[in-house]
Amino acid sequence: MLIVQKFGGSSLADANKITNVAKRVAETYRQGNQIVVVLSAQGDTTDKLLEKAREINPNPSKRELDMLLSTGEQQSIALISMALQGLGLSCVSFTGPQVGIHTSSTYGSARIRSIDTERVNNELERNNIVIVAGFQGVNRFGDITTLGRGGSDTTAVALAAVLQADLCEIYTDVEGVYTADPRVVKNAHKIDVISYDEMLDLASLGAKVLATRSVEMAKKYRVQLVVRSSMSNAEGTLVKEDVKVESTYVSGLAIDKDVASISVMGIRNVPGMAYKIFSLLSKEKILVDIILQSIGRDKKKDISFTINIGDLPKAMELLKNNQDNLGFEDVTYDDKIAKISVVGAGMATHSGVASMLFEALYSARINIMMISTSEIKISVLIDERDTDAAANYVHEKFFAVPAR
Ligand code: ADP
Ligand code: ASP
Ligand code: MG
């Protein structure tokens, strides 16, 4: 079999863990498989590198940031290769540019456009284990790009797709995909099989266990994806096409702390104001999520909306710089909030999901700041300090009986 094995940062945090990963790879290799290993940066290296950059310049250029961040993954691939060589195995490490992972030119959130398979295939034919740095590629200028946080998952799935691998295994620090983040919700249970669509909803609403784009790609190319622990031999979660087992109407709960809200106040109550505000943000590729507009009074209205916390400085700067020509009275932000979402395709045909969610929050005396609903999810914004209590109460309400 051809297997792509991806190991996340926590699985590589120190020398011992690197050795363990090498042993796991060696075992799979010795069973007669061909292996491509994709690695993240060790532990919290990426966060440390970001801090380092900001100590020097609070607003560094995205190109230089990618130059810096990509070094984390490069360290990991060299170290694992050394560990594998120490076990007597022959392997070869490659950065993203070296294997030919071609991306768009948007530094910091580049998209994979194509992957050259020749070099990897040649090495596999020579019975070498191929080690690839995750999270990075090269753009048309020949510059290093990164794929956005969690992007090593995307590298792994993309490689599995182009190499037509039999399996893509994502090794992490939990035993699979759970009904909620098991570090926050103590009664969360592991899901054995989940559909691409359900996983996509959970990932895009904040469940970090898989990067959203990796799931999109797995769905598009029908990659067999397994999420499992690098510290145990437990079976993990299989992510695949439609799951035929009896499924519940709610698949899980997603928590997103990386959100911030902005309130633009005292906007003239005339046509075109929302367009002007949001086009300003979209030109800078700032994604807006929940939007709330107040009822106009005294010829004025307020608009509040949420964005990713990473975009907050840029969004505030844009709005402040345009306050005069947009003609609003004030703009404020709140970065101490969290979004909790209940997710599930079956919700469309079940009434009462929203009221169950609100009841759970009420029973925990938690205030709701904003609400957004669609056919497949309901999200609420709450004070960040209420996250753990909210997640546990809401989970209890929906999953008191084992889901599957
Ligand atoms: P890695 O370094 O292996 O890429 P991540 O930190 O990116 O690991 O993702 C794993 C983490 O995702 C877990 O430690 C867990 O806290 C979090 N997580 C959030 N939601 C879920 C979920 N529904 N199921 C499993 N893990 C989740
Ligand atoms: N090291 C990168 C990050 O921390 C990529 C990854 O871990 O997938 O986001
Ligand atoms: Mg990750």
Side-chain angles (χ1 to χ4, degrees), residues 149 256-262 286-289 305-315:
R149 299 306 304 266
D256 190 353
K257 288 188 179 173
D258 293 337
V259 284
S261 69
I262 290 186
I286 295 173
L287 288 181
V288 173
D289 183 21
F305 56 89
T306 63
I307 55 174
N308 188 286
I309 205 160
D311 290 329
L312 183 60
K314 183 94 212 164

Side-chain angles (χ1 to χ4, degrees), residues 102-344:
H102 301 280
T103 72
S104 63
S105 1
T106 330
Y107 300 104
S109 56
R111 282 181 172 264
I112 297 176
R113 294 250 197 268
S114 65
I115 301 181
D116 304 334
T117 49
E118 198 182 330
R119 200 149 181 199
V120 176
N121 277 328
N122 284 344
E123 295 299 338
L124 289 173
E125 268 162 35
R126 286 192 202 127
N127 281 329
N128 283 329
I129 297 172
V130 178
I131 321 278
V132 180
F135 177 57
Q136 55 179 257
V138 60
N139 67 15
R140 65 198 164 95
F141 308 114
D143 290 341
I144 295 183
T145 52
T146 66
L147 308 178
R149 299 306 304 266
S152 299
D153 297 336
T154 313
T155 306
V157 175
L159 277 166
V162 291
L163 297 168
Q164 298 182 335
D166 299 288
L167 183 63
C168 181
E169 293 180 318
I170 306 285
Y171 285 92
T172 184
D173 57 356
V174 289
E175 290 193 346
V177 179
Y178 284 67
T179 48
D181 186 340
R183 294 189 193 287
V184 179
V185 176
K186 55 183 187 310
N187 291 331
H189 24 248
K190 195 177 86 187
I191 302 170
D192 293 332
V193 192
I194 189 169
S195 69
Y196 292 123
D197 285 327
E198 284 174 304
M199 190 62 235
L200 203 52
D201 295 336
L202 281 177
S204 61
L205 288 161
K208 281 212 177 84
V209 62
L210 284 174
T212 308
R213 272 196 217 152
S214 73
V215 187
E216 276 168 9
M217 203 170 289
K219 181 183 174 189
K220 185 164 174 193
Y221 297 101
R222 299 283 178 238
V223 174
Q224 282 272 340
L225 200 58
V226 173
V227 179
R228 55 189 301 191
S229 166
S230 62
M231 337 269 170
S232 82
N233 282 319
E235 280 233 325
T237 299
L238 177 63
V239 189
K240 55 184 279 236
E241 287 156 60
D242 288 346
V243 180
K244 291 284 181 276
V245 292
E246 183 74 12
S247 74
T248 50
Y249 59 102
V250 168
S251 38
L253 200 109
I255 304 163
D256 190 353
K257 288 188 179 173
D258 293 337
V259 284
S261 69
I262 290 186
S263 297
V264 186
M265 281 159 314
I267 306 167
R268 279 184 301 132
N269 199 8
V270 293
M273 293 308 293
Y275 162 68
K276 285 180 188 158
I277 290 171
F278 293 117
S279 64
L280 200 66
L281 300 171
S282 80
K283 266 186 214 135
E284 292 295 325
K285 298 201 161 63
I286 295 173
L287 288 181
V288 173
D289 183 21
I290 306 176
I291 301 176
L292 199 73
Q293 179 177 291
S294 69
I295 294 172
R297 72 190 106 69
D298 302 334
K299 297 191 178 137
K300 301 275 183 192
K301 63 189 171 189
D302 306 329
I303 295 180
S304 299
F305 56 89
T306 63
I307 55 174
N308 188 286
I309 205 160
D311 290 329
L312 183 60
K314 183 94 212 164
M316 285 300 288
E317 185 189 313
L318 273 172
L319 288 164
K320 281 188 175 153
N321 289 345
N322 287 280
Q323 181 164 1
D324 288 343
N325 65 40
L326 290 172
F328 57 81
E329 284 164 5
D330 198 10
V331 53
T332 59
Y333 70 87
D334 187 351
D335 58 358
K336 301 276 183 292
I337 55 173
K339 183 170 78 172
I340 298 226
S341 308
V342 175
V343 180

